[in-house]
Amino acid sequence: MIIQTLLAVFLTLNVSAQTQIPAFTPNVVDPNHYLSDENILEINQALEGIRHKSDIWGAVYIIDHLDEESIESLSEKTFQKWALGQKGKDNGLLLVLAMKDRKSRFEVGYGLEGEVTDLFCDKALVEIVRPFMRAGDIRTAIINSFEYLSLVKSGEALPINSGPQTESNIAFNYTAAMAGLLSFLMALWCTPIIINLRIKSLKEKLALNLPHSQLNIEDESKNKGFIFLLLFLTVNPGVFIYMLSGIAIWAALLLATASFFIATMIVKSKTKNYISIEAYKKYFELLIKRNFIQETPQKTYEYTPTYYQSRKSKSSSGSSSSSSSSSSSSGGGRSGGGGSSSSW
């Protein structure tokens, strides 16, 4: 009996600690009246225009504070309770603002996640919502952020400069993005060149004491697909690195440091077998023991089918991280849990 009573008390406290979600009133729910009636009317008009233009069913929930609940949990529960978006399309988009906690989140409908990605939501929160909320302009923070994500959905999004930024701030972001991308590309394209030059230099030293045939094992697949791989990595994740490093200069510096550190580790790993005669002999003996190389009639060495099969296996395993006159955004939609959160 005591255990049942304690459990009931615990459940009661847990429920009371969570924010109670009010009924949905299209399409701005502001129970604490942070917005004026005029502001709500303007936001509803903007959301209505966005719905017709890009088929996004937007809604806004402004709360006083979060209690002990995370904004992610509250946003997802609110989205599901209000069933934002059209049933079957799941095209709802919810912006939650926790005023006293100074936190914000975009919760994205399942049908929009392929276009209105977490990255774009984060940029809208950081570069639009944050500066306007800090300036005390809630109305503009809401309208401009929804307008930006509407452009993203329509494929018309331009680099963000909707917040109260200066020209120097915009250039600062561009510089950071280019620094991050260039550091990645330098590490990506220069590492193979450095490795080949380093191995060539070490081989020339080893050639004084080892047979030339042992140092020049012929690999038929050495360059197959290699350029394609570099081009693929240039685009992806190159594009995402550019966009991420545009957020702040520290991101660019972090990417630069990480890229060159990884490149250094790769060079060391690829050249360790050529660093001395003893190291190369162990490497050569290991290749023979594993049946990875064989001697040809011309007294040279070449890689065996066993070697190529092992490379193929490794590659396969690696590929397998409110106005009552407004039409309502509640239409049976679902959220896939996507979105982004930030603070201001």
Side-chain angles (χ1 to χ4, degrees), residues 66 71-72 95-106 121-134 340-344:
L66 289 165
I71 194 169
E72 291 80 11
L95 173 61
V96 176
L97 299 173
M99 301 302 292
K100 291 185 179 178
D101 298 287
R102 304 180 69 86
K103 290 184 179 181
S104 58
R105 177 171 176 81
F106 268 112
C121 289
D122 185 70
K123 288 179 73 68
L125 292 175
V126 171
E127 300 189 32
I128 298 178
V129 173
R130 177 184 291 172
F132 280 114
M133 292 301 291
R134 287 179 176 177
S340 183
S341 306
S342 184
S343 59
W344 70 81

Side-chain angles (χ1 to χ4, degrees), residues 120 148 151-159:
F120 283 121
Y148 170 70
L151 292 175
V152 169
K153 169 70 163 51
S154 304
E156 305 170 9
L158 298 173

Side-chain angles (χ1 to χ4, degrees), residues 57-91:
W57 289 35
V60 182
Y61 182 24
I62 304 176
I63 64 172
D64 195 43
H65 54 83
L66 289 165
D67 294 315
E68 297 179 4
E69 187 172 12
S70 70
I71 194 169
E72 291 80 11
S73 173
L74 174 65
S75 299
E76 184 176 4
K77 289 195 302 184
T78 302
F79 196 108
Q80 305 299 356
K81 179 177 179 178
W82 292 348
L84 298 176
Q86 293 172 287
K87 187 174 183 179
K89 284 189 175 182
D90 301 316
N91 51 354

Side-chain angles (χ1 to χ4, degrees), residues 171-215:
F172 173 83
N173 286 341
Y174 173 79
T175 303
M178 289 304 299
L181 178 60
L182 289 176
S183 67
F184 170 74
L185 293 180
M186 287 180 62
L188 178 66
W189 286 89
C190 292
T191 299
I193 298 174
I194 295 172
I195 290 173
N196 289 334
L197 291 175
R198 177 64 174 161
I199 290 177
K200 181 180 179 182
S201 174
L202 293 172
K203 278 185 175 181
E204 289 176 354
K205 294 180 181 178
L206 293 174
L208 300 175
N209 299 285
L210 290 171
H212 181 74
S213 60
Q214 291 186 7
L215 292 169

